[in-house]
Amino acid sequence: MRTIAITGTRRTGHKNPPEYADLFEQYLGPFAQNAHFYIGGAAGIDSLALLWLANRTTSAITVVVPGTMPRQPPEARDAVARSRDRIKEVVELGATELHAPAYHARNRWMVDRTSMTIGFPHATEPSTGTWQTIEYTAEQGKPRLIVPV
């Protein structure tokens, strides 16, 4: 089974939902058969990808959060609730402070357990958690697919 981390921007308002569905169809769809996706459980790409995977594939899905689910943004909690019957596991890493180090630890946790990363960075944000995840994937010698949005 292929294991894939998904990472992406939280800023997604510049495209409409059908545009994201098209992107996911093109860039997640080819990997979705016999796959297990690890998603960060945040707002933005994480929530949109979770809903797309839950509704359009039979792939296994694990949601990973740096703290606990109740501390995630409302959009993320809603996406998890709507996809609960399709989520294999929710991993709560238990960070007490939700700052960059906790998010980076979550990202490394996902990459360490997967064979590749698909990243959806915001085209104008050169230094973000998405890029940190993509760069960590490269440092681990694992393939990554980068789809700027």
Side-chain angles (χ1 to χ4, degrees), residues 5-6 11 17 19 26 28 30 33 70 76-77 82 86 92 98 102-103 125-126 128 136:
I6 296 176
R11 291 184 22 195
E19 289 176 290
Q26 290 177 45
L28 298 182
Q33 189 171 7
R77 290 193 316 265
R82 290 171 51 196
R86 288 282 294 109
E92 297 175 308
L98 298 179
Y103 292 105
E125 294 175 345
T128 64
Y136 182 72

Side-chain angles (χ1 to χ4, degrees), residues 44-147:
I45 288 294
D46 289 356
S47 293
L48 293 169
L50 170 60
L51 292 169
W52 187 87
L53 287 166
N55 291 322
R56 300 280 183 97
T57 75
T58 59
S59 300
I61 302 167
T62 295
V63 175
V64 185
V65 298
T68 61
M69 272 311 301
R71 294 174 62 203
Q72 290 303 104
E75 176 187 338
R77 290 193 316 265
D78 180 61
V80 168
R82 290 171 51 196
S83 306
R84 196 66 184 118
D85 62 329
R86 288 282 294 109
I87 296 171
K88 179 180 179 181
E89 180 180 23
V90 173
V91 176
E92 297 175 308
L93 297 177
T96 55
E97 293 188 31
L98 298 179
H99 300 295
Y103 292 105
H104 291 176
R106 185 259 336 256
N107 298 343
R108 288 189 305 271
W109 191 97
M110 292 193 312
V111 170
D112 290 344
R113 285 155 181 79
T114 56
S115 57
M116 74 173 291
T117 297
I118 301 175
F120 296 88
H122 191 275
T124 62
E125 294 175 345
S127 179
T128 64
T130 301
W131 282 110
Q132 178 268 337
T133 307
I134 292 166
E135 290 166 6
Y136 182 72
T137 303
E139 290 169 9
Q140 301 308 305
K142 296 178 181 181
R144 60 249 175 248
L145 173 61
I146 303 167
V147 184

